[in-house]
């Protein structure tokens, strides 16, 4: 991903936070010349057993993910397969009317993290079940209502044979936080006010990130 220097993540925590808040990633990997590349949307979490601190490019960070084994993408994933995980964060269209200057051009403010990594397949049913449980715990904590999964574990065991789980060992990551940094402070403030007044969660979240810029 091409990231101009003024759009780089202010700190590694910005990339980690975007991935946690927007965990449905698009995973892409090479396919055959006949089939072309594979691409699958899937939920991704940080391995809860990892207790380290992320490097500035997230190298070494272990991620967990799973998909349907019936998906041809699963059959194409071998140990050592290089994958790209694309996480998309808050984004919004910027109309030139907000700039209050002429000439001007429209643009789109957006945030994204591209994670490069290597696949480690998880073959055992019990480890696959652990990934499912870890994913439920992470998402119930961040997005749900602390649902108690204990009464559904037997159901999980019945369906886990259809689940393909794997780790991704991150080799590097790049964050793009295009938030009007190239504009003058008064113009950025007008963009923030415009987004905050739209009554839309996506616009409000983009405005919040713009306010957090150093």
């Amino acid at each position: 991903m091409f990231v101009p220097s003024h759009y780089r993540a202010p700190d590694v925590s910005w990339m980690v936070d975007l991935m946690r808040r927007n965990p449905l990633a698009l995973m892409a990997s090479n396919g055959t010349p006949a089939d072309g590349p594979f691409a699958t949307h899937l939920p991704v979490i940080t391995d809860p057993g990892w207790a380290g601190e992320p490097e500035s490019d997230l190298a070494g960070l272990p991620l967990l993910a799973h998909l349907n084994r019936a998906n041809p993408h699963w059959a194409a994933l071998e140990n050592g397969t290089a994958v790209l995980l694309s996480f998309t964060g808050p984004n919004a269209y910027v109309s030139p009317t907000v700039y209050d200057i002429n000439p001007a051009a429209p643009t789109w403010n957006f945030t994204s993290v591209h994670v490069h990594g290597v696949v480690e397949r998880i073959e055992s049913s019990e480890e696959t079940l652990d990934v499912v449980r870890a994913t439920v715990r992470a998402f119930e904590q961040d997005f749900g209502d602390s649902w108690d999964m204990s009464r559904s574990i037997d159901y999980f065991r019945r369906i886990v044979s259809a689940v393909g789980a794997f780790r991704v060992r991150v080799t590097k990551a790049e964050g793009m936080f295009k938030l009007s940094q190239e504009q003058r402070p008064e113009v950025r403030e007008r963009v923030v006010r415009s987004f905050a007044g739209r009554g839309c969660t996506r616009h409000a979240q983009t405005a919040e990130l713009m306010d957090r810029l150093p």
Side-chain angles (χ1 to χ4, degrees), residues 1-8 110 114 174-176:
M1 178 167 61
F2 172 63
V3 185
S5 58
H6 49 287
Y7 294 147
R8 295 192 184 282
F110 70 94
H114 283 193
E174 306 140 329
M176 177 80 157

Side-chain angles (χ1 to χ4, degrees), residues 7-30:
Y7 294 147
R8 295 192 184 282
D11 181 82
V12 67
S13 65
W14 282 56
M15 291 197 290
V16 173
D17 188 57
L18 185 148
M19 293 163 61
R20 183 180 63 81
R21 294 189 181 199
N22 305 274
L24 187 68
L26 176 64
M27 181 179 71
S29 64
N30 289 335

Side-chain angles (χ1 to χ4, degrees), residues 110-175:
F110 70 94
T111 57
S112 180
V113 173
H114 283 193
V115 176
H116 301 258
V118 176
V119 167
E120 296 176 3
R121 284 170 61 118
I122 294 172
E123 300 294 355
S124 82
S125 295
E126 205 56 40
E127 274 194 279
T128 299
L129 185 59
D130 287 343
V131 171
V132 172
R133 285 190 289 220
T135 303
V136 171
R137 281 192 291 267
F139 292 164
E140 279 297 318
Q141 176 179 306
D142 288 344
F143 311 112
D145 295 310
S146 300
W147 173 63
D148 180 1
M149 74 179 97
S150 60
R151 295 172 61 185
S152 296
I153 295 302
D154 286 342
Y155 172 67
F156 287 0
R157 290 187 188 280
R158 291 199 300 272
I159 65 173
V160 76
S161 61
V163 177
F166 56 96
R167 290 182 182 84
V168 174
R169 297 286 179 181
V170 177
T171 54
K172 68 173 182 178
E174 306 140 329

